[in-house]
Amino acid sequence: MDDYSIRYFENTLNSMGIQGIKRKYWLKIYYKNPKKAGKMFFEKLDREFKDQKSWELAKYLLIKKYPHWGPEPDPEPEPEPEPEPIFCKNVAPQYNLEYFLRINGGRWGDASYDIDEFERSNGVVI
């Protein structure tokens, strides 16, 4: 931690009008862990100035420079598993075009042959 960054943080506190116990609190956090203090101060600014256009620009630039201050990205949803045909006793299996394409590796000729064979043997039109 260099002297310049401490003075810069103190000047920021002064420009925000943070004095007294609040100032000591922020400086104590900054001396212990500057990254944590930076993130907490960023969140404080975001709460206070969230509807101002100038803050939105400054926020964009700060997050670009310090990405760990920004919000956590949303986790990507897991892909849903493909439905398998239902084979139950006394119930006809449920087939569809995707099933036949999948079992034939996406080859339409083989899939159409299997569909025709299935339709002839079961009397069902897919």
Side-chain angles (χ1 to χ4, degrees), residues 60-123:
Y60 170 77
L61 294 173
L62 284 170
I63 289 176
K64 188 175 179 181
K65 187 172 182 180
Y66 305 103
H68 60 279
W69 287 356
E72 296 294 324
D74 294 333
E76 294 184 21
E78 295 181 16
E80 294 182 14
E82 294 184 21
E84 293 294 325
I86 303 169
F87 296 106
C88 297
K89 195 174 189 180
N90 300 329
V91 176
Q94 303 293 317
Y95 293 105
N96 58 21
L97 177 63
E98 289 82 19
Y99 170 76
F100 287 105
L101 283 172
R102 190 174 67 238
I103 65 171
N104 287 294
R107 293 182 303 273
W108 173 245
D110 295 340
S112 65
Y113 177 77
D114 286 346
I115 291 171
D116 289 340
E117 186 177 311
F118 177 78
E119 289 175 345
R120 269 181 283 173
S121 64
N122 293 315

Side-chain angles (χ1 to χ4, degrees), residues 9-115:
F9 189 71
E10 288 176 350
N11 289 339
T12 303
L13 293 175
N14 290 340
S15 66
M16 293 289 298
I18 298 174
Q19 300 295 322
I21 294 174
K22 290 181 182 179
R23 179 184 171 94
K24 287 180 184 179
Y25 171 76
W26 281 109
L27 289 173
K28 181 179 178 182
I29 293 172
Y30 188 81
Y31 288 134
K32 285 184 178 181
N33 189 347
K35 288 184 179 181
K36 179 180 176 184
K39 183 170 175 70
M40 288 175 61
F41 200 75
F42 178 82
E43 291 169 355
K44 174 186 174 33
L45 293 174
D46 195 29
R47 284 190 305 270
E48 288 185 14
F49 302 111
K50 67 179 176 181
D51 293 330
Q52 296 182 8
K53 289 183 182 181
S54 60
W55 168 244
E56 293 301 321
L57 177 62
K59 180 179 172 181
Y60 170 77
L61 294 173
L62 284 170
I63 289 176
K64 188 175 179 181
K65 187 172 182 180
Y66 305 103
H68 60 279
W69 287 356
E72 296 294 324
D74 294 333
E76 294 184 21
E78 295 181 16
E80 294 182 14
E82 294 184 21
E84 293 294 325
I86 303 169
F87 296 106
C88 297
K89 195 174 189 180
N90 300 329
V91 176
Q94 303 293 317
Y95 293 105
N96 58 21
L97 177 63
E98 289 82 19
Y99 170 76
F100 287 105
L101 283 172
R102 190 174 67 238
I103 65 171
N104 287 294
R107 293 182 303 273
W108 173 245
D110 295 340
S112 65
Y113 177 77
D114 286 346
I115 291 171

